[in-house]
Amino acid sequence: MPDRRRRDRNTPAAQPQQTEAAQLTQQLLDAGYTKRHVAQILGRDPSLVSQFFTKGKGAAFVPALRRALEAMHTGAATTPEELHAVVDTLVQRRTTATGRNARVRAKNVVGDTHRSSLARAGKQHIASGASRLRPVIAGQAEVGGRVAFTVRAKRSAFVYDAGSPDDSPGLRRGVVQRADGTEERSYGAGLGPGQAGLDATEWKGRVDAAGGDVAAAVKAWLVSTHRLAPDAVITHLEVRGWRPAGRT
């Protein structure tokens, strides 16, 4: 009589289908990062990253993983520290036992402004001129670097539908919709290999013309290119800058 137990032991077990978080993480692993690096990028424990593969977890980190891969491919950020700064706003805050957001300390400006740097500002700081954003553009202009922006405003304030190539190349991968009716859209990071980013020198000129107000310069550009309504209010703005590979 056939030994069914032996046959069952020799039959390979069906592999569970990988979640999107696991697939995106695998792309980072294939690029040379480790699971510990991915955990550092997300600001989480390495054991959680392993559970993306073993337990199907990680759905909440998909937007951050997408942003990390985008930044890596464009050269906007390469080290785990730089990638963590790029995705930090997309990672959901941890909560305490009472359900409140855990306190997390983070710098508003990170990196070497002549290599890779990032700054972000909220509505209150934008209203006062968002001065912390200006050094990113100025530093990259000195070395012929590139910049990209992530703009958050009311969904209805954007002229084009989310994902429209007339709005920003890269389609929906640069769009994050929020529960409060606002939407984040990225500009300058999805133009194709060797073309990613906006010229920092040109943008320094735009910012200087706006009296040093980066948010005003970004809004003026979006309005003039018919991407944003003139009465729109930018609630959050992130500026990323980097020096293209090969430049010293």
Side-chain angles (χ1 to χ4, degrees), residues 177-189:
Q177 295 179 336
R178 300 290 184 176
D180 62 358
T182 61
E183 193 165 271
E184 290 184 3
R185 298 194 183 187
S186 297
Y187 299 93

Side-chain angles (χ1 to χ4, degrees), residues 56-195:
K57 293 187 176 182
F61 299 99
V62 166
L65 290 166
R66 288 175 179 166
R67 178 73 65 80
L69 283 165
E70 179 183 344
M72 180 195 72
H73 287 312
T74 61
T78 55
T79 69
E81 294 84 358
E82 293 169 350
L83 291 169
H84 172 70
V86 168
V87 309
D88 185 45
T89 57
L90 298 180
V91 176
Q92 293 184 359
R93 292 279 297 275
R94 286 170 289 184
T95 57
T96 65
T98 59
R100 295 182 179 182
N101 284 338
R103 295 183 63 184
V104 178
R105 296 185 178 183
K107 296 181 179 180
N108 291 310
V109 180
V110 297
D112 177 354
T113 56
H114 289 78
R115 290 184 178 273
S116 177
S117 52
L118 175 147
R120 59 179 68 92
K123 185 174 181 179
Q124 183 175 357
H125 197 68
I126 288 173
S128 63
S131 58
R132 68 165 64 108
L133 304 178
R134 193 175 186 182
V136 174
I137 295 176
Q140 294 304 325
E142 291 180 12
V143 295
R146 313 291 289 179
V147 293
F149 306 98
T150 295
V151 179
R152 182 173 173 183
K154 283 291 185 181
R155 194 174 307 162
S156 59
F158 292 99
V159 175
Y160 296 106
D161 292 334
S164 169
D166 293 322
D167 181 72
S168 179
L171 304 181
R172 292 192 64 86
R173 68 182 180 184
V175 176
V176 178
Q177 295 179 336
R178 300 290 184 176
D180 62 358
T182 61
E183 193 165 271
E184 290 184 3
R185 298 194 183 187
S186 297
Y187 299 93
L191 302 179
Q195 301 177 12

Side-chain angles (χ1 to χ4, degrees), residues 43-72:
R44 294 295 188 268
D45 190 86
S47 62
L48 176 60
V49 176
S50 295
Q51 292 176 27
F52 293 177
F53 297 89
T54 60
K55 297 185 178 181
K57 293 187 176 182
F61 299 99
V62 166
L65 290 166
R66 288 175 179 166
R67 178 73 65 80
L69 283 165
E70 179 183 344
M72 180 195 72

